[in-house]
Amino acid sequence: MSSPRTRADACPGVLAPHDAADGALARVRLPGGVVTAAQLRVLAGSAEELGDGAVHLTSRGNLQLRGLSREDPRFEQRLRSVGLLPSSTHERVRNVLASPLSGVDGGLADVRGLARELDARLCAVPALAGLPGRFLFALDDGRGDVAAERPDLCWRATGPDQGVLDVAGVATEVGCAVAGAPALLVAAAEVFLTLRTQEPGCGAWRASEIPDAPARIAVALGRTRAPAAPGDGPVAANPRGDDGDDPHLGSGRVGTRPPPLPIVDHGPALVVAPVLGELSAAQLRALAASATEVIVTPWRTIVIPDPRAAQRLWAAGLRPLDDPALRISACAGRPGCAKSHADVRGDVRDLLAAATDLPRAHVVGCERRCGAPHGPHLDVVAQPDGTYRIDDLRVPDLSALDRT
C-alpha cells in the first residue's frame, strides 16, 4: 500500500483544466480510445484556433490540448456538440482502456463496444462521480495488452465468452460473460468507493492503495451479485480459464507487459504513430479522411481500420511503428512547463533531424520525469546548468544518444 494521500486528486479535464506555463491544459477522455472523424475535425479546428496548434496523445489513450484560455467557452461548446463531453459530473472518471485490436487481429474475445457501454453505465451512477481522476478501468480481450497498463479494475477474457475481474493487477475468482463485463466493473467501482471511506486518512486514488483490495472487492461482489443483464452477473470463475498454459491467467499478479502492437499494414488494420505523440491539425484531418473512426491506444499509437490509408498518412508525417524516431518520447518541457530546465521537444527534434540510430529513451526537463513509459528505456534528464544526464552519464546535449 502506498502512503496515504493528503490532497485531492487534481487530474485535469476539460471543465477543470491544469494551469500550465503556456496556458490551460485540457484532457479529453476517449473511452476505449475511440474517436470519430467528425470529432477529429473539431479537435483539429480547436487546436488551431484555441490552443497551441497540436493535440497530444496520452499514456491512457486520451488526448490533450495545450495553450487554451480558461475564459473562452468555445472549446467546451465544441466538444459537447460532437459528444466528447457527455457528462459534466463524471468527466474526469471516464478513464477506460480496451484492447485496441480486439475483433480485428488476435485476442480471445471481442470487447468492441463494451467501453461505450461501460462509459454510459459509469455516468448513470451519481456516486461514481466521486472516483479519483486517476482511477483506471480496462477491458482486455485476453491478449494481456491493457491488463498490463496497471488498471485499477480490469475485465480480462479467459475464453470467447468468459472473463475474470482483475483488481490492481491481481486476478480474482469473480467473473462473468462478455456482455456482463461493464456491469461487473461498475459494481466493483462502487465497492472501491465504499472501501475508500473505510480507510481513515487514506484518500486512496488507486485500488492498490487499499489494503487487500482484490480480496475485499471479490468478497463484496460475491455477496451482492453485481447487477447485469439476465444471466450475465458475476459467477465463480476458473481463474486459469480455458488455457491452463497461459501465464497471464491464474491466481496472483497478472503477467508482464506483452509485446507492442503488431504492425498490421497489409491485413485488416493499420497502426501508426506521430513523432513525440504530438498530432498536428493537418494530421488530425488526414486521420479523419481515412476512416469514420480510429482508435487511440495507451502506447501513443493510432489504429486505423483501413490499411489503404497508409500513403495518405505517411504523406501527413505519421510514422510506421518501426520508424527509429518513435524510439524517443519526451515530456512537455519549456515553454509549456515552468519546472522544466530545457526545451526538450525542440532538442529532441534537432536530434531526430541528425541521428540515424537511437535507443529507446525518454527525455524530460526535470527530475519529476513526467510521461515516462512503463517499458525499458534510458532516462534522459535535463539539468539546471543546461546539460543532460543519461542515467548516470552527464553529457552536454542529446547528440550523445546517437552513440549510446
Side-chain angles (χ1 to χ4, degrees):
M1 177 181 172
S2 301
S3 300
R5 300 290 188 179
T6 57
R7 59 182 175 86
D9 173 32
C11 200
V14 173
L15 303 179
H18 168 69
D19 289 321
D22 58 348
L25 179 155
R27 185 170 299 159
V28 182
R29 265 69 177 186
L30 303 177
V34 176
V35 57
T36 68
Q39 291 168 341
L40 288 168
R41 286 190 286 268
V42 165
L43 289 165
S46 297
E48 280 182 326
E49 300 163 26
L50 309 176
D52 69 355
V55 170
H56 305 261
L57 306 182
T58 80
S59 61
R60 289 187 165 196
N62 295 318
L63 300 174
Q64 286 185 170
L65 279 78
R66 305 184 66 97
L68 299 167
S69 168
R70 276 182 176 269
E71 288 70 38
D72 192 334
R74 289 179 293 170
F75 184 53
E76 176 186 340
Q77 292 166 355
R78 292 180 184 188
L79 294 192
R80 289 191 189 279
S81 72
V82 289
L84 284 171
L85 193 58
S87 172
S88 297
T89 54
H90 292 65
E91 180 211 353
R92 297 191 312 124
V93 306
R94 300 170 57 242
N95 301 303
V96 181
L97 301 180
S99 296
L101 291 177
S102 189
V104 176
D105 184 68
L108 297 178
D110 189 345
V111 300
R112 286 178 297 182
L114 294 185
R116 184 179 297 109
E117 181 185 344
L118 174 56
D119 184 31
R121 286 180 176 268
L122 285 172
C123 294
V125 179
L128 293 183
L131 284 172
R134 298 174 195 263
F135 198 84
L136 182 62
F137 296 88
L139 294 150
D140 191 297
D141 68 1
R143 76 186 70 213
D145 54 357
V146 293
E149 289 299 310
R150 306 173 186 171
D152 297 278
L153 299 173
C154 177
W155 183 89
R156 178 172 47 82
T158 56
D161 192 40
Q162 189 69 21
V164 295
L165 175 69
D166 296 338
V167 178
V170 176
T172 73
E173 294 188 3
V174 176
C176 68
V178 175
L184 175 59
L185 289 169
V186 165
E190 292 180 284
V191 176
F192 167 81
L193 284 180
T194 298
L195 296 179
R196 190 174 184 240
T197 65
Q198 295 173 355
E199 297 296 325
C202 178
W205 293 351
R206 309 297 305 274
S208 60
E209 297 167 7
I210 300 286
D212 302 318
R216 293 165 72 184
I217 289 175
V219 167
L221 291 175
R223 290 174 178 170
T224 60
R225 314 297 286 185
D232 289 331
V235 296
N238 172 8
R240 295 195 66 81
D242 295 333
D243 184 357
D245 295 328
D246 188 341
H248 295 294
L249 309 180
S251 60
R253 184 158 296 279
V254 174
T256 58
R257 174 186 297 275
L261 285 177
I263 304 170
V264 191
D265 59 4
H266 56 278
L270 174 70
V271 185
V272 303
V275 175
L276 295 178
E278 184 177 302
L279 289 161
S280 68
Q283 289 171 338
L284 289 164
R285 293 190 176 103
L287 287 167
S290 300
T292 56
E293 66 179 29
V294 302
I295 299 173
V296 176
T297 82
W299 310 289
R300 295 184 174 90
T301 60
I302 302 166
V303 178
I304 297 93
D306 186 354
R308 294 173 299 179
Q311 293 307 314
R312 175 189 289 117
L313 298 178
W314 304 154
L318 291 164
R319 308 291 183 95
L321 298 192
D322 58 356
D323 192 301
L326 301 183
R327 298 174 190 164
I328 307 295
S329 57
C331 71
R334 288 180 180 170
C337 178
K339 292 182 170 64
S340 178
H341 300 306
D343 175 8
V344 296
R345 286 177 174 256
D347 291 344
V348 168
R349 288 191 177 92
D350 290 343
L351 171 68
L352 294 177
T356 57
D357 188 23
L358 293 167
R360 182 71 183 94
H362 184 63
V363 185
V364 294
C366 73
E367 293 292 347
R368 294 187 305 163
R369 309 185 188 205
C370 295
H374 293 169
H377 64 277
L378 290 175
D379 273 327
V380 185
V381 184
Q383 304 298 299
D385 62 2
T387 64
Y388 280 90
R389 190 180 73 248
I390 302 177
D391 287 343
D392 293 327
L393 175 67
R394 185 72 69 93
V395 296
D397 56 47
L398 294 184
S399 64
L401 275 174
D402 199 23
R403 304 186 296 274
T404 301

PDB file of all heavy atoms in Angstrom, residues 133 175 188 190 230 255 311 316 329:
ATOM      1  N   GLY A 133      -9.702  10.995 -10.352  1.00  0.00           N
ATOM      2  CA  GLY A 133      -9.448  11.148 -11.772  1.00  0.00           C
ATOM      3  C   GLY A 133      -8.376  10.225 -12.305  1.00  0.00           C
ATOM      4  O   GLY A 133      -8.246  10.061 -13.520  1.00  0.00           O
ATOM      5  N   GLY A 175     -16.039 -13.594 -11.962  1.00  0.00           N
ATOM      6  CA  GLY A 175     -16.032 -13.470 -13.411  1.00  0.00           C
ATOM      7  C   GLY A 175     -17.438 -13.368 -13.962  1.00  0.00           C
ATOM      8  O   GLY A 175     -18.424 -13.435 -13.237  1.00  0.00           O
ATOM      9  N   ALA A 188     -17.864  -3.208  -9.129  1.00  0.00           N
ATOM     10  CA  ALA A 188     -16.581  -3.230  -8.424  1.00  0.00           C
ATOM     11  C   ALA A 188     -16.129  -1.818  -8.052  1.00  0.00           C
ATOM     12  O   ALA A 188     -15.554  -1.599  -6.974  1.00  0.00           O
ATOM     13  CB  ALA A 188     -15.529  -3.916  -9.286  1.00  0.00           C
ATOM     14  N   GLU A 190     -18.092   0.685  -7.342  1.00  0.00           N
ATOM     15  CA  GLU A 190     -18.895   1.118  -6.199  1.00  0.00           C
ATOM     16  C   GLU A 190     -18.338   0.531  -4.904  1.00  0.00           C
ATOM     17  O   GLU A 190     -18.307   1.212  -3.867  1.00  0.00           O
ATOM     18  CB  GLU A 190     -20.352   0.695  -6.409  1.00  0.00           C
ATOM     19  CG  GLU A 190     -21.036   1.436  -7.547  1.00  0.00           C
ATOM     20  CD  GLU A 190     -22.470   1.012  -7.735  1.00  0.00           C
ATOM     21  OE1 GLU A 190     -22.698  -0.086  -8.285  1.00  0.00           O
ATOM     22  OE2 GLU A 190     -23.375   1.767  -7.329  1.00  0.00           O
ATOM     23  N   PRO A 230     -29.727 -10.248 -17.664  1.00  0.00           N
ATOM     24  CA  PRO A 230     -30.063 -11.594 -17.181  1.00  0.00           C
ATOM     25  C   PRO A 230     -29.031 -12.616 -17.631  1.00  0.00           C
ATOM     26  O   PRO A 230     -28.671 -12.699 -18.802  1.00  0.00           O
ATOM     27  CB  PRO A 230     -31.421 -11.857 -17.849  1.00  0.00           C
ATOM     28  CG  PRO A 230     -32.008 -10.500 -18.049  1.00  0.00           C
ATOM     29  CD  PRO A 230     -30.838  -9.607 -18.355  1.00  0.00           C
ATOM     30  N   GLY A 255       0.420 -11.136 -15.583  1.00  0.00           N
ATOM     31  CA  GLY A 255       1.753 -11.125 -16.165  1.00  0.00           C
ATOM     32  C   GLY A 255       2.243  -9.773 -16.644  1.00  0.00           C
ATOM     33  O   GLY A 255       1.533  -8.777 -16.630  1.00  0.00           O
ATOM     34  N   GLN A 311      -0.665   5.548 -47.462  1.00  0.00           N
ATOM     35  CA  GLN A 311       0.071   6.582 -48.187  1.00  0.00           C
ATOM     36  C   GLN A 311      -0.365   7.977 -47.784  1.00  0.00           C
ATOM     37  O   GLN A 311       0.460   8.891 -47.661  1.00  0.00           O
ATOM     38  CB  GLN A 311      -0.095   6.366 -49.700  1.00  0.00           C
ATOM     39  CG  GLN A 311       0.577   5.100 -50.216  1.00  0.00           C
ATOM     40  CD  GLN A 311       2.048   5.014 -49.815  1.00  0.00           C
ATOM     41  OE1 GLN A 311       2.805   5.996 -49.943  1.00  0.00           O
ATOM     42  NE2 GLN A 311       2.468   3.860 -49.306  1.00  0.00           N
ATOM     43  N   ALA A 316       1.247  12.787 -44.503  1.00  0.00           N
ATOM     44  CA  ALA A 316       0.930  13.758 -43.448  1.00  0.00           C
ATOM     45  C   ALA A 316       1.962  13.766 -42.333  1.00  0.00           C
ATOM     46  O   ALA A 316       1.857  14.573 -41.396  1.00  0.00           O
ATOM     47  CB  ALA A 316      -0.455  13.465 -42.868  1.00  0.00           C
ATOM     48  N   SER A 329      10.653   9.440 -26.661  1.00  0.00           N
ATOM     49  CA  SER A 329       9.491  10.150 -26.133  1.00  0.00           C
ATOM     50  C   SER A 329       9.995  11.274 -25.239  1.00  0.00           C
ATOM     51  O   SER A 329      11.173  11.319 -24.877  1.00  0.00           O
ATOM     52  CB  SER A 329       8.570   9.203 -25.355  1.00  0.00           C
ATOM     53  OG  SER A 329       9.282   8.557 -24.299  1.00  0.00           O
TER      54      SER A 329
END
